mmCIF file of all heavy atoms in Angstrom:
data_model
loop_
_atom_site.group_PDB
_atom_site.id
_atom_site.type_symbol
_atom_site.label_atom_id
_atom_site.label_comp_id
_atom_site.label_asym_id
_atom_site.label_seq_id
_atom_site.Cartn_x
_atom_site.Cartn_y
_atom_site.Cartn_z
ATOM 1 N N PRO A 68 3.377 4.928 -5.901
ATOM 2 C CA PRO A 68 2.854 5.957 -4.979
ATOM 3 C C PRO A 68 1.559 5.512 -4.391
ATOM 4 O O PRO A 68 0.647 4.964 -5.094
ATOM 5 C CB PRO A 68 2.659 7.162 -5.931
ATOM 6 C CG PRO A 68 3.601 6.861 -7.100
ATOM 7 C CD PRO A 68 3.585 5.416 -7.301
ATOM 8 N N GLY A 69 1.396 5.698 -3.075
ATOM 9 C CA GLY A 69 0.178 5.357 -2.405
ATOM 10 C C GLY A 69 0.073 3.907 -1.973
ATOM 11 O O GLY A 69 -0.871 3.603 -1.218
ATOM 12 N N PHE A 70 0.977 3.087 -2.378
ATOM 13 C CA PHE A 70 0.985 1.690 -1.905
ATOM 14 C C PHE A 70 1.511 1.644 -0.538
ATOM 15 O O PHE A 70 2.595 2.122 -0.219
ATOM 16 C CB PHE A 70 1.813 0.835 -2.901
ATOM 17 C CG PHE A 70 1.783 -0.639 -2.617
ATOM 18 C CD1 PHE A 70 0.915 -1.444 -3.225
ATOM 19 C CD2 PHE A 70 2.740 -1.227 -1.760
ATOM 20 C CE1 PHE A 70 0.867 -2.797 -2.956
ATOM 21 C CE2 PHE A 70 2.729 -2.593 -1.487
ATOM 22 C CZ PHE A 70 1.775 -3.392 -2.123
ATOM 23 N N ARG A 71 0.807 0.928 0.317
ATOM 24 C CA ARG A 71 1.169 0.888 1.754
ATOM 25 C C ARG A 71 1.101 -0.476 2.358
ATOM 26 O O ARG A 71 0.134 -1.214 2.086
ATOM 27 C CB ARG A 71 0.187 1.840 2.551
ATOM 28 C CG ARG A 71 0.583 2.119 3.946
ATOM 29 C CD ARG A 71 -0.293 3.190 4.540
ATOM 30 N NE ARG A 71 -1.727 2.827 4.612
ATOM 31 C CZ ARG A 71 -2.294 2.367 5.707
ATOM 32 N NH1 ARG A 71 -1.571 2.142 6.734
ATOM 33 N NH2 ARG A 71 -3.588 2.058 5.672
ATOM 34 N N VAL A 72 2.140 -0.856 3.097
ATOM 35 C CA VAL A 72 2.053 -2.120 3.813
ATOM 36 C C VAL A 72 1.423 -1.841 5.193
ATOM 37 O O VAL A 72 2.026 -1.104 6.005
ATOM 38 C CB VAL A 72 3.500 -2.677 4.052
ATOM 39 C CG1 VAL A 72 3.467 -3.909 4.925
ATOM 40 C CG2 VAL A 72 4.114 -3.017 2.679
ATOM 41 N N VAL A 73 0.352 -2.494 5.466
ATOM 42 C CA VAL A 73 -0.422 -2.298 6.716
ATOM 43 C C VAL A 73 0.189 -3.156 7.831
ATOM 44 O O VAL A 73 0.227 -2.681 8.992
ATOM 45 C CB VAL A 73 -1.856 -2.552 6.516
ATOM 46 C CG1 VAL A 73 -2.668 -2.403 7.773
ATOM 47 C CG2 VAL A 73 -2.495 -1.635 5.415
ATOM 48 N N PHE A 74 0.528 -4.373 7.468
ATOM 49 C CA PHE A 74 1.027 -5.287 8.516
ATOM 50 C C PHE A 74 1.806 -6.366 7.822
ATOM 51 O O PHE A 74 1.476 -6.758 6.647
ATOM 52 C CB PHE A 74 -0.143 -5.964 9.256
ATOM 53 C CG PHE A 74 0.251 -7.019 10.226
ATOM 54 C CD1 PHE A 74 0.663 -6.857 11.455
ATOM 55 C CD2 PHE A 74 0.173 -8.398 9.715
ATOM 56 C CE1 PHE A 74 1.055 -7.830 12.303
ATOM 57 C CE2 PHE A 74 0.603 -9.414 10.578
ATOM 58 C CZ PHE A 74 1.047 -9.188 11.877
ATOM 59 N N GLN A 75 2.849 -6.863 8.498
ATOM 60 C CA GLN A 75 3.483 -8.061 7.972
ATOM 61 C C GLN A 75 4.172 -8.801 9.145
ATOM 62 O O GLN A 75 4.587 -8.197 10.133
ATOM 63 C CB GLN A 75 4.544 -7.695 6.907
ATOM 64 C CG GLN A 75 5.782 -6.953 7.375
ATOM 65 C CD GLN A 75 6.868 -6.969 6.381
ATOM 66 O OE1 GLN A 75 7.152 -8.033 5.749
ATOM 67 N NE2 GLN A 75 7.517 -5.881 6.117
ATOM 68 N N ASP A 76 4.312 -10.124 8.999
ATOM 69 C CA ASP A 76 5.121 -10.916 9.868
ATOM 70 C C ASP A 76 5.736 -12.002 8.947
ATOM 71 O O ASP A 76 5.803 -11.874 7.753
ATOM 72 C CB ASP A 76 4.316 -11.472 11.029
ATOM 73 C CG ASP A 76 3.152 -12.391 10.599
ATOM 74 O OD1 ASP A 76 3.064 -12.820 9.524
ATOM 75 O OD2 ASP A 76 2.239 -12.608 11.465
ATOM 76 N N ALA A 77 6.138 -13.079 9.571
ATOM 77 C CA ALA A 77 6.818 -14.229 8.789
ATOM 78 C C ALA A 77 5.824 -14.903 7.860
ATOM 79 O O ALA A 77 6.314 -15.593 6.917
ATOM 80 C CB ALA A 77 7.529 -15.173 9.742
ATOM 81 N N ASP A 78 4.551 -14.762 8.155
ATOM 82 C CA ASP A 78 3.554 -15.634 7.367
ATOM 83 C C ASP A 78 2.736 -14.855 6.437
ATOM 84 O O ASP A 78 2.339 -15.350 5.382
ATOM 85 C CB ASP A 78 2.689 -16.416 8.377
ATOM 86 C CG ASP A 78 3.409 -17.336 9.259
ATOM 87 O OD1 ASP A 78 3.958 -18.290 8.666
ATOM 88 O OD2 ASP A 78 3.475 -17.148 10.432
ATOM 89 N N ILE A 79 2.373 -13.590 6.717
ATOM 90 C CA ILE A 79 1.426 -12.873 5.923
ATOM 91 C C ILE A 79 1.938 -11.423 5.748
ATOM 92 O O ILE A 79 2.723 -10.881 6.522
ATOM 93 C CB ILE A 79 0.020 -12.819 6.525
ATOM 94 C CG1 ILE A 79 0.023 -12.087 7.860
ATOM 95 C CG2 ILE A 79 -0.566 -14.226 6.605
ATOM 96 C CD1 ILE A 79 -1.385 -11.876 8.439
ATOM 97 N N VAL A 80 1.408 -10.731 4.723
ATOM 98 C CA VAL A 80 1.585 -9.288 4.520
ATOM 99 C C VAL A 80 0.246 -8.763 4.099
ATOM 100 O O VAL A 80 -0.425 -9.294 3.145
ATOM 101 C CB VAL A 80 2.687 -8.972 3.541
ATOM 102 C CG1 VAL A 80 2.476 -9.663 2.173
ATOM 103 C CG2 VAL A 80 2.818 -7.455 3.418
ATOM 104 N N VAL A 81 -0.245 -7.730 4.754
ATOM 105 C CA VAL A 81 -1.504 -7.060 4.379
ATOM 106 C C VAL A 81 -1.131 -5.661 3.827
ATOM 107 O O VAL A 81 -0.413 -4.920 4.390
ATOM 108 C CB VAL A 81 -2.402 -6.828 5.654
ATOM 109 C CG1 VAL A 81 -3.684 -6.136 5.246
ATOM 110 C CG2 VAL A 81 -2.711 -8.198 6.263
ATOM 111 N N VAL A 82 -1.637 -5.380 2.569
ATOM 112 C CA VAL A 82 -1.320 -4.199 1.903
ATOM 113 C C VAL A 82 -2.621 -3.338 1.667
ATOM 114 O O VAL A 82 -3.697 -3.869 1.620
ATOM 115 C CB VAL A 82 -0.604 -4.450 0.580
ATOM 116 C CG1 VAL A 82 0.611 -5.251 0.818
ATOM 117 C CG2 VAL A 82 -1.559 -5.120 -0.407
ATOM 118 N N ASP A 83 -2.397 -2.046 1.520
ATOM 119 C CA ASP A 83 -3.473 -1.110 1.047
ATOM 120 C C ASP A 83 -3.092 -0.753 -0.375
ATOM 121 O O ASP A 83 -2.220 -0.003 -0.619
ATOM 122 C CB ASP A 83 -3.500 0.091 1.988
ATOM 123 C CG ASP A 83 -4.826 0.818 1.944
ATOM 124 O OD1 ASP A 83 -5.570 0.609 0.947
ATOM 125 O OD2 ASP A 83 -5.124 1.630 2.872
ATOM 126 N N LYS A 84 -3.883 -1.254 -1.264
ATOM 127 C CA LYS A 84 -3.538 -1.162 -2.762
ATOM 128 C C LYS A 84 -4.262 0.032 -3.368
ATOM 129 O O LYS A 84 -5.502 0.158 -3.249
ATOM 130 C CB LYS A 84 -4.040 -2.456 -3.504
ATOM 131 C CG LYS A 84 -3.702 -2.450 -4.912
ATOM 132 C CD LYS A 84 -4.243 -3.634 -5.602
ATOM 133 C CE LYS A 84 -5.722 -3.497 -6.107
ATOM 134 N NZ LYS A 84 -5.907 -2.453 -7.115
ATOM 135 N N PRO A 85 -3.529 0.938 -4.114
ATOM 136 C CA PRO A 85 -4.206 1.968 -4.767
ATOM 137 C C PRO A 85 -4.847 1.445 -6.079
ATOM 138 O O PRO A 85 -4.504 0.344 -6.527
ATOM 139 C CB PRO A 85 -3.054 2.876 -5.141
ATOM 140 C CG PRO A 85 -1.820 2.372 -4.554
ATOM 141 C CD PRO A 85 -2.138 0.980 -4.195
ATOM 142 N N ALA A 86 -5.778 2.176 -6.618
ATOM 143 C CA ALA A 86 -6.292 1.757 -7.928
ATOM 144 C C ALA A 86 -5.217 1.864 -8.973
ATOM 145 O O ALA A 86 -4.265 2.622 -8.802
ATOM 146 C CB ALA A 86 -7.467 2.698 -8.305
ATOM 147 N N GLY A 87 -5.279 1.092 -10.041
ATOM 148 C CA GLY A 87 -4.266 1.096 -11.067
ATOM 149 C C GLY A 87 -3.141 0.128 -10.827
ATOM 150 O O GLY A 87 -2.188 0.141 -11.600
ATOM 151 N N VAL A 88 -3.308 -0.739 -9.872
ATOM 152 C CA VAL A 88 -2.298 -1.665 -9.526
ATOM 153 C C VAL A 88 -2.945 -3.075 -9.675
ATOM 154 O O VAL A 88 -4.004 -3.325 -9.021
ATOM 155 C CB VAL A 88 -1.691 -1.617 -8.143
ATOM 156 C CG1 VAL A 88 -0.699 -2.683 -7.829
ATOM 157 C CG2 VAL A 88 -1.092 -0.182 -7.995
ATOM 158 N N ALA A 89 -2.399 -3.966 -10.473
ATOM 159 C CA ALA A 89 -2.929 -5.318 -10.599
ATOM 160 C C ALA A 89 -2.494 -6.240 -9.568
ATOM 161 O O ALA A 89 -1.471 -6.037 -8.885
ATOM 162 C CB ALA A 89 -2.531 -5.877 -12.016
ATOM 163 N N ALA A 90 -3.353 -7.238 -9.218
ATOM 164 C CA ALA A 90 -2.949 -8.232 -8.142
ATOM 165 C C ALA A 90 -1.718 -9.042 -8.591
ATOM 166 O O ALA A 90 -0.902 -9.266 -7.760
ATOM 167 C CB ALA A 90 -4.111 -9.211 -7.869
ATOM 168 N N HIS A 91 -1.619 -9.326 -9.850
ATOM 169 C CA HIS A 91 -0.474 -10.131 -10.404
ATOM 170 C C HIS A 91 -0.333 -9.831 -11.899
ATOM 171 O O HIS A 91 -1.298 -9.311 -12.497
ATOM 172 C CB HIS A 91 -0.739 -11.611 -10.106
ATOM 173 C CG HIS A 91 -1.952 -12.129 -10.701
ATOM 174 N ND1 HIS A 91 -2.124 -12.372 -12.051
ATOM 175 C CD2 HIS A 91 -3.097 -12.568 -10.099
ATOM 176 C CE1 HIS A 91 -3.364 -12.810 -12.236
ATOM 177 N NE2 HIS A 91 -3.949 -12.930 -11.072
ATOM 178 N N PRO A 92 0.824 -10.160 -12.428
ATOM 179 C CA PRO A 92 0.993 -9.859 -13.907
ATOM 180 C C PRO A 92 0.063 -10.728 -14.730
ATOM 181 O O PRO A 92 -0.327 -11.803 -14.360
ATOM 182 C CB PRO A 92 2.466 -10.387 -14.101
ATOM 183 C CG PRO A 92 3.129 -10.334 -12.736
ATOM 184 C CD PRO A 92 2.015 -10.670 -11.782
ATOM 185 N N SER A 93 -0.289 -10.224 -15.913
ATOM 186 C CA SER A 93 -1.076 -10.953 -16.880
ATOM 187 C C SER A 93 -0.708 -10.451 -18.307
ATOM 188 O O SER A 93 -0.078 -9.400 -18.450
ATOM 189 C CB SER A 93 -2.552 -10.732 -16.585
ATOM 190 O OG SER A 93 -2.896 -9.388 -16.732
ATOM 191 N N VAL A 94 -1.147 -11.204 -19.290
ATOM 192 C CA VAL A 94 -0.795 -10.872 -20.660
ATOM 193 C C VAL A 94 -1.366 -9.486 -21.030
ATOM 194 O O VAL A 94 -2.523 -9.173 -20.753
ATOM 195 C CB VAL A 94 -1.437 -11.936 -21.580
ATOM 196 C CG1 VAL A 94 -1.158 -11.467 -23.050
ATOM 197 C CG2 VAL A 94 -0.763 -13.275 -21.326
ATOM 198 N N GLY A 95 -0.481 -8.656 -21.533
ATOM 199 C CA GLY A 95 -0.937 -7.329 -21.952
ATOM 200 C C GLY A 95 -0.906 -6.237 -20.886
ATOM 201 O O GLY A 95 -0.931 -5.048 -21.226
ATOM 202 N N TRP A 96 -0.699 -6.610 -19.668
ATOM 203 C CA TRP A 96 -0.638 -5.585 -18.552
ATOM 204 C C TRP A 96 0.768 -5.117 -18.407
ATOM 205 O O TRP A 96 1.669 -5.887 -18.125
ATOM 206 C CB TRP A 96 -1.201 -6.223 -17.228
ATOM 207 C CG TRP A 96 -1.017 -5.266 -16.063
ATOM 208 C CD1 TRP A 96 -0.119 -5.361 -15.010
ATOM 209 C CD2 TRP A 96 -1.820 -4.074 -15.828
ATOM 210 N NE1 TRP A 96 -0.292 -4.305 -14.199
ATOM 211 C CE2 TRP A 96 -1.328 -3.522 -14.640
ATOM 212 C CE3 TRP A 96 -2.882 -3.541 -16.429
ATOM 213 C CZ2 TRP A 96 -1.891 -2.335 -14.070
ATOM 214 C CZ3 TRP A 96 -3.390 -2.352 -15.963
ATOM 215 C CH2 TRP A 96 -2.940 -1.737 -14.756
ATOM 216 N N ASP A 97 0.989 -3.720 -18.582
ATOM 217 C CA ASP A 97 2.367 -3.258 -18.376
ATOM 218 C C ASP A 97 2.445 -2.340 -17.177
ATOM 219 O O ASP A 97 3.420 -1.687 -16.991
ATOM 220 C CB ASP A 97 2.837 -2.493 -19.679
ATOM 221 C CG ASP A 97 1.989 -1.225 -19.933
ATOM 222 O OD1 ASP A 97 0.923 -0.993 -19.213
ATOM 223 O OD2 ASP A 97 2.428 -0.382 -20.728
ATOM 224 N N GLY A 98 1.403 -2.342 -16.410
ATOM 225 C CA GLY A 98 1.400 -1.460 -15.190
ATOM 226 C C GLY A 98 1.947 -2.195 -13.964
ATOM 227 O O GLY A 98 2.409 -3.342 -14.022
ATOM 228 N N PRO A 99 1.920 -1.535 -12.834
ATOM 229 C CA PRO A 99 2.434 -2.079 -11.612
ATOM 230 C C PRO A 99 1.605 -3.221 -11.073
ATOM 231 O O PRO A 99 0.383 -3.315 -11.306
ATOM 232 C CB PRO A 99 2.423 -0.941 -10.640
ATOM 233 C CG PRO A 99 1.368 -0.040 -11.192
ATOM 234 C CD PRO A 99 1.334 -0.128 -12.628
ATOM 235 N N THR A 100 2.202 -4.119 -10.292
ATOM 236 C CA THR A 100 1.471 -5.205 -9.660
ATOM 237 C C THR A 100 1.824 -5.184 -8.162
ATOM 238 O O THR A 100 2.784 -4.617 -7.682
ATOM 239 C CB THR A 100 1.943 -6.578 -10.173
ATOM 240 O OG1 THR A 100 3.351 -6.776 -9.918
ATOM 241 C CG2 THR A 100 1.728 -6.599 -11.706
ATOM 242 N N VAL A 101 0.969 -5.875 -7.347
ATOM 243 C CA VAL A 101 1.184 -5.945 -5.888
ATOM 244 C C VAL A 101 2.477 -6.573 -5.625
ATOM 245 O O VAL A 101 3.289 -6.119 -4.742
ATOM 246 C CB VAL A 101 0.018 -6.700 -5.281
ATOM 247 C CG1 VAL A 101 0.351 -6.908 -3.797
ATOM 248 C CG2 VAL A 101 -1.267 -5.850 -5.341
ATOM 249 N N GLY A 102 2.816 -7.718 -6.277
ATOM 250 C CA GLY A 102 4.117 -8.385 -6.024
ATOM 251 C C GLY A 102 5.254 -7.513 -6.356
ATOM 252 O O GLY A 102 6.294 -7.499 -5.629
ATOM 253 N N GLY A 103 5.130 -6.737 -7.448
ATOM 254 C CA GLY A 103 6.242 -5.883 -7.850
ATOM 255 C C GLY A 103 6.443 -4.724 -6.897
ATOM 256 O O GLY A 103 7.643 -4.378 -6.577
ATOM 257 N N ALA A 104 5.379 -4.222 -6.358
ATOM 258 C CA ALA A 104 5.418 -3.149 -5.377
ATOM 259 C C ALA A 104 6.073 -3.618 -4.071
ATOM 260 O O ALA A 104 6.902 -2.948 -3.450
ATOM 261 C CB ALA A 104 4.026 -2.618 -5.039
ATOM 262 N N LEU A 105 5.760 -4.868 -3.679
ATOM 263 C CA LEU A 105 6.387 -5.466 -2.523
ATOM 264 C C LEU A 105 7.842 -5.714 -2.663
ATOM 265 O O LEU A 105 8.664 -5.461 -1.802
ATOM 266 C CB LEU A 105 5.648 -6.792 -2.120
ATOM 267 C CG LEU A 105 4.253 -6.615 -1.572
ATOM 268 C CD1 LEU A 105 3.620 -8.006 -1.405
ATOM 269 C CD2 LEU A 105 4.360 -5.922 -0.175
ATOM 270 N N LEU A 106 8.232 -6.242 -3.858
ATOM 271 C CA LEU A 106 9.697 -6.444 -4.163
ATOM 272 C C LEU A 106 10.421 -5.111 -4.066
ATOM 273 O O LEU A 106 11.536 -5.145 -3.584
ATOM 274 C CB LEU A 106 9.805 -7.048 -5.505
ATOM 275 C CG LEU A 106 9.534 -8.608 -5.641
ATOM 276 C CD1 LEU A 106 9.730 -9.048 -7.063
ATOM 277 C CD2 LEU A 106 10.441 -9.368 -4.693
ATOM 278 N N ALA A 107 9.890 -4.018 -4.537
ATOM 279 C CA ALA A 107 10.524 -2.768 -4.561
ATOM 280 C C ALA A 107 10.752 -2.329 -3.113
ATOM 281 O O ALA A 107 11.693 -1.529 -2.765
ATOM 282 C CB ALA A 107 9.745 -1.759 -5.278
ATOM 283 N N LEU A 108 9.893 -2.778 -2.193
ATOM 284 C CA LEU A 108 10.019 -2.458 -0.764
ATOM 285 C C LEU A 108 10.932 -3.416 0.017
ATOM 286 O O LEU A 108 11.084 -3.349 1.186
ATOM 287 C CB LEU A 108 8.628 -2.384 -0.136
ATOM 288 C CG LEU A 108 7.776 -1.241 -0.624
ATOM 289 C CD1 LEU A 108 6.335 -1.446 -0.013
ATOM 290 C CD2 LEU A 108 8.278 0.071 -0.224
ATOM 291 N N GLY A 109 11.464 -4.426 -0.736
ATOM 292 C CA GLY A 109 12.332 -5.388 -0.127
ATOM 293 C C GLY A 109 11.542 -6.524 0.605
ATOM 294 O O GLY A 109 12.105 -7.139 1.510
ATOM 295 N N ILE A 110 10.316 -6.745 0.198
ATOM 296 C CA ILE A 110 9.500 -7.804 0.799
ATOM 297 C C ILE A 110 9.175 -8.900 -0.244
ATOM 298 O O ILE A 110 8.238 -8.720 -1.005
ATOM 299 C CB ILE A 110 8.159 -7.215 1.320
ATOM 300 C CG1 ILE A 110 8.457 -6.039 2.267
ATOM 301 C CG2 ILE A 110 7.298 -8.233 1.973
ATOM 302 C CD1 ILE A 110 7.151 -5.312 2.761
ATOM 303 N N PRO A 111 10.020 -9.853 -0.333
ATOM 304 C CA PRO A 111 9.766 -11.004 -1.356
ATOM 305 C C PRO A 111 8.666 -11.924 -0.839
ATOM 306 O O PRO A 111 8.444 -12.112 0.358
ATOM 307 C CB PRO A 111 11.112 -11.701 -1.438
ATOM 308 C CG PRO A 111 11.670 -11.451 -0.031
ATOM 309 C CD PRO A 111 11.258 -10.109 0.378
ATOM 310 N N ILE A 112 7.893 -12.424 -1.858
ATOM 311 C CA ILE A 112 6.808 -13.379 -1.519
ATOM 312 C C ILE A 112 7.315 -14.707 -2.073
ATOM 313 O O ILE A 112 7.527 -14.851 -3.257
ATOM 314 C CB ILE A 112 5.505 -13.012 -2.179
ATOM 315 C CG1 ILE A 112 5.052 -11.640 -1.707
ATOM 316 C CG2 ILE A 112 4.482 -14.073 -1.919
ATOM 317 C CD1 ILE A 112 4.774 -11.589 -0.248
ATOM 318 N N ALA A 113 7.481 -15.724 -1.264
ATOM 319 C CA ALA A 113 8.022 -16.984 -1.664
ATOM 320 C C ALA A 113 7.118 -18.108 -1.287
ATOM 321 O O ALA A 113 7.163 -18.651 -0.153
ATOM 322 C CB ALA A 113 9.449 -17.223 -1.050
ATOM 323 N N THR A 114 6.257 -18.484 -2.162
ATOM 324 C CA THR A 114 5.349 -19.610 -1.923
ATOM 325 C C THR A 114 5.310 -20.403 -3.230
ATOM 326 O O THR A 114 5.758 -20.007 -4.289
ATOM 327 C CB THR A 114 3.921 -19.224 -1.580
ATOM 328 O OG1 THR A 114 3.370 -18.390 -2.629
ATOM 329 C CG2 THR A 114 3.881 -18.396 -0.304
ATOM 330 N N SER A 115 4.784 -21.625 -3.138
ATOM 331 C CA SER A 115 4.740 -22.493 -4.333
ATOM 332 C C SER A 115 3.764 -21.955 -5.375
ATOM 333 O O SER A 115 2.900 -21.058 -5.143
ATOM 334 C CB SER A 115 4.397 -23.874 -3.968
ATOM 335 O OG SER A 115 3.063 -23.866 -3.296
#
């Protein structure tokens, strides 16, 4: 809730992140992440 995609094209995606969302997964974190929120919206991130 409250997670918003501000802009996206083939190269970048800009998001408006609510508090309580981690930038990426880490040990011990069981809450939402930016990547997970994007996947739920059908926006995969594929980089090395």
Side-chain angles (χ1 to χ4, degrees):
F70 185 90
R71 186 169 65 94
V72 173
V73 177
F74 172 85
Q75 69 164 319
D76 60 15
D78 297 296
I79 64 173
V80 56
V81 178
V82 303
D83 200 339
K84 182 186 86 67
V88 180
H91 56 73
S93 60
V94 175
W96 175 254
D97 69 347
T100 64
V101 171
L105 287 172
L106 282 178
L108 294 173
I110 305 173
I112 301 297
T114 59
S115 59

